[in-house]
């Protein structure tokens, strides 16, 4: 939203962009996750719920963290292969033509992560997650979206947020 305000105030100094809303990420996370009995989101919520059970049963914190990091690695790997919905791809193709004046696969873009929990009063996560630089190839762009979506679940990002958030599973890139 702030970038949109800057674009309106200084149109010649802020490049055009495309935003993939948090809800699109959540919609993709609600798909069935291969190798599990539920969705990607179910897997994430279950991992955090089990970690809380482990804490309640006095499991040492280092073991709880090791469990969570292992589950987050599985989730990152699954997100990296997640099928992107046709509705997202169609929207991106239209947005490239409308906002970037070219086709996806012809216009270089930066894919930057932002989350709903990066710019809080007590926590700023700017630069914490992945940015994919200068992606042009269509498949690199689509892979980059998945990689950016997976990046809040890295060890670095998770540990940084843990100190500040009571609900770290509710991070939406």
């Amino acid at each position: 939203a702030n970038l949109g305000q800057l674009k309106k105030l200084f149109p010649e100094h802020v490049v055009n962009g495309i935003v993939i809303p948090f809800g699109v990420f959540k919609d993709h996370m609600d798909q069935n996750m291969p190798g599990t009995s539920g969705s990607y989101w179910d897997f994430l919520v279950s991992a955090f719920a089990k970690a809380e059970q482990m804490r309640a049963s006095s499991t040492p914190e280092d073991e709880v963290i090791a469990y969570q990091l292992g589950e987050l690695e599985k989730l990152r790997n699954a997100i990296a292969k997640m099928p992107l919905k046709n509705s997202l791809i169609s929207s991106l193709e239209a947005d490239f033509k409308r906002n970037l004046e070219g086709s996806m696969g012809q216009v270089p873009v930066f894919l930057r992560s932002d989350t709903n929990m990066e710019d809080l009063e007590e926590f700023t996560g700017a630069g914490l997650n992945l940015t994919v630089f200068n992606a042009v190839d269509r498949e690199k762009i689509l892979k980059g979206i998945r990689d950016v979506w997976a990046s809040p679940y890295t060890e670095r990002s998770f540990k940084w947020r843990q100190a500040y958030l009571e609900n770290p599973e509710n991070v939406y890139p």
Side-chain angles (χ1 to χ4, degrees):
N2 290 339
L3 188 58
Q5 290 174 327
L6 288 173
K7 177 69 173 170
K8 187 172 181 172
L9 293 170
F10 309 103
E12 301 303 318
H13 299 288
V14 179
V15 299
N16 289 344
I18 299 168
V19 175
I20 300 175
F22 301 138
V24 173
F25 164 76
K26 177 61 167 70
D27 184 44
H28 279 76
M29 290 290 283
D30 286 339
Q31 297 179 101
N32 288 332
M33 181 173 158
T36 71
S37 60
S39 68
Y40 296 87
W41 192 256
D42 294 335
F43 182 88
L44 175 64
V45 170
S46 174
F48 279 95
K50 180 163 183 194
E52 287 308 310
Q53 290 173 350
M54 293 169 73
R55 284 186 181 97
S57 67
S58 299
T59 302
E61 188 62 18
D62 61 329
E63 289 180 34
V64 175
I65 296 293
Y67 164 76
Q68 286 179 300
L69 292 175
E71 294 301 283
L72 292 176
E73 181 178 10
K74 291 175 194 172
L75 180 63
R76 276 194 325 276
N77 290 334
I79 291 172
K81 299 176 203 156
M82 173 190 282
L84 297 178
K85 293 186 173 188
N86 290 333
S87 58
L88 171 60
I89 295 170
S90 296
S91 177
L92 286 171
E93 289 170 342
D95 287 344
F96 262 75
K97 288 178 182 165
R98 181 176 49 252
N99 297 338
L100 305 179
E101 300 175 358
S103 297
M104 187 166 42
Q106 296 177 334
V107 179
V109 294
F110 282 34
L111 304 167
R112 187 188 175 284
S113 170
D114 188 17
T115 72
N116 61 317
M117 298 206 183
E118 278 188 29
D119 298 315
L120 306 175
E121 185 175 327
E122 66 281 353
F123 172 74
T124 180
L128 186 58
N129 300 311
L130 180 68
T131 296
V132 176
F133 298 95
N134 208 30
V136 178
D137 180 74
R138 185 178 193 278
E139 290 309 310
K140 183 176 181 183
I141 292 168
L142 298 176
K143 179 183 181 317
I145 290 168
R146 292 181 195 96
D147 291 345
V148 165
W149 281 352
S151 70
Y153 305 111
T154 63
E155 179 176 352
R156 175 179 174 247
S157 185
F158 169 74
K159 285 184 173 179
W160 191 273
R161 283 192 313 270
Q162 281 298 93
Y164 299 97
L165 303 178
E166 294 178 13
N167 59 335
E169 70 276 17
N170 288 311
V171 172
Y172 298 91

